Amino acid sequence: MKFTKMQGIGNDYVYVNCFQETVENPSEAAKKVSDRHFGIGSDGLILIKPSEKADFEMEMYNADGSQGAMCGNGIRCVAKYVYDYGLTDKTRISVDTKSGIKYLDLTVKNGRVELVKVNMGKPEFHTEKIPMKHKKEKVIREPLAVNQQIYEVTAVSMGNPHAVVFMDDVKGLDIRAIGPYFEKHEAFPEGVNTEFVRVLDEKTVEMRVWERGSGETLACGTGACAVAAACVMNGYTEEEVTVKLLGGDLKIFWDRKEDTIYMTGPAEVVFDGTIEL
Ligand SMILES: N[C@@H](CCC[C@H](N)C(=O)O)C(=O)O
């Protein structure tokens, strides 16, 4: 199978051009390619497919083989792939995902995509839509017992579920110890991605993420959007914020009039290759 490994601020996936390749069992393939010792090494697998509803379709799988509905860093890389590898010459494209069609604007320099701005849609706070089991309709900084400790959680869906936890120190957090307890918490019947966040000022926050299905990653695009929405709902930041992640920065803007979040960030090719599945 021919593939291209790409990364968006360190959130790396193996991309397969399904205009040319067929992947029989994507879930098994995701586990195999993601292995950092016996495979290519990635946070998961992303298939770029033809679509009848949009310019392209993106299908994403986490490192454990589970399917994700949306991937913010992944969709920027899809935009770079389809433009740089000549599948389109458009700089405004639409991509169908399991959480609906997303629209992307590409900034091109010297014939290559450098930055991508994505309309990530509306943040969803209603617990039944996230889904989260909770007596309240919305969970905005509510206590949640996780492994016998109380955390204050803001729950948001960006097409996939997120639990946002504000704290004073994210650098020293033992995320490997606590992340799995959030991921499999009974309050989140479909699992959850968890963002641990420190507010630096009203325009800047830093975060680490424990992703459902992939563990700690260097960045999560949907997570950064969920964090921006949670920051505004808690009165911590303005609508436009820089989210500093382990792998780099993302610019997030929640346009309250449109009730739409825009994410802007880079996308890069690491290498092309072939693998026997
Ligand atoms: N890294 C992604 C999110 C990938 C999917 C997630 N782990 C899930 O299962 O919901 C991003 O950049 O948004």
Side-chain angles (χ1 to χ4, degrees):
M1 178 181 80
K2 282 192 183 151
F3 69 87
T4 301
K5 176 167 155 154
M6 303 181 78
Q7 55 91 8
I9 56 168
N11 193 195
D12 58 345
Y13 293 93
V14 168
Y15 292 78
V16 179
N17 176 351
C18 292
F19 288 79
Q20 290 170 359
E21 298 281 340
T22 306
V23 183
E24 299 293 349
N25 187 339
S27 174
E28 279 309 308
K31 288 194 245 177
K32 184 159 184 189
V33 302
S34 300
D35 193 296
R36 295 203 184 268
H37 302 286
F38 296 98
I40 299 160
S42 67
D43 293 325
L45 172 72
I46 293 184
L47 308 182
I48 302 169
K49 303 171 88 171
S51 167
E52 285 180 6
K53 292 193 244 157
D55 295 322
F56 299 97
E57 184 188 338
M58 169 178 96
E59 199 173 293
M60 85 84 48
Y61 294 84
N62 292 307
D64 69 355
S66 61
Q67 197 171 359
M70 180 44 195
C71 181
N73 292 319
I75 205 166
R76 293 199 316 279
C77 290
V78 168
K80 182 171 176 67
Y81 185 97
V82 296
Y83 187 90
D84 287 11
Y85 287 75
L87 272 59
T88 187
D89 57 5
K90 286 162 68 173
T91 53
R92 175 144 232 268
I93 62 165
S94 56
V95 178
D96 193 18
T97 72
K98 272 193 88 186
S99 89
I101 296 176
K102 308 291 174 199
Y103 296 90
L104 299 89
D105 286 301
L106 288 51
T107 304
V108 177
K109 212 170 165 191
N110 301 325
R112 294 269 178 274
V113 170
E114 271 204 351
L115 270 186
V116 183
K117 182 176 176 185
V118 188
N119 177 333
M120 297 286 284
K122 166 182 155 31
E124 179 59 72
F125 295 96
H126 286 90
T127 42
E128 84 274 9
K129 292 202 175 144
I130 290 174
M132 179 182 189
K133 286 192 219 153
H134 201 278
K135 57 181 187 299
K136 293 212 169 165
E137 204 177 282
K138 291 181 183 179
V139 167
I140 312 292
R141 208 163 180 165
E142 294 289 338
L144 184 73
V146 183
N147 193 28
Q148 291 155 13
Q149 246 197 278
I150 302 295
Y151 293 86
E152 288 186 330
V153 167
T154 300
V156 192
S157 169
M158 282 306 308
N160 54 0
H162 293 270
V164 179
V165 182
F166 293 98
M167 43 178 56
D168 294 333
D169 174 28
V170 293
K171 289 199 172 94
L173 175 75
D174 188 355
I175 199 167
R176 282 178 185 221
I178 190 64
Y181 288 100
F182 273 94
E183 183 179 352
K184 307 274 181 222
H185 197 285
E186 59 183 7
F188 297 97
E190 293 177 10
V192 76
N193 301 287
T194 309
E195 289 77 30
F196 300 93
V197 184
R198 178 169 169 241
V199 178
L200 301 177
D201 58 44
E202 71 278 7
K203 291 180 194 306
T204 328
V205 301
E206 64 174 350
M207 68 170 255
R208 283 172 70 192
V209 60
W210 183 267
E211 281 196 38
R212 171 177 75 168
S214 296
E216 182 171 33
T217 61
L218 296 187
C220 178
T222 50
C225 295
V227 164
C231 284
V232 173
M233 291 300 274
N234 282 285
Y236 292 146
T237 68
E238 296 172 0
E239 280 83 359
E240 196 157 5
V241 281
T242 299
V243 181
K244 302 182 97 50
L245 301 107
L246 292 180
D249 295 355
L250 287 175
K251 297 271 181 210
I252 311 292
F253 172 50
W254 183 8
D255 184 328
R256 298 297 292 276
K257 276 196 208 123
E258 285 181 22
D259 197 13
T260 296
I261 296 191
Y262 292 92
M263 171 194 65
T264 307
E268 287 179 18
V269 172
V270 184
F271 58 86
D272 297 300
T274 54
I275 185 170
E276 204 168 309
L277 288 178

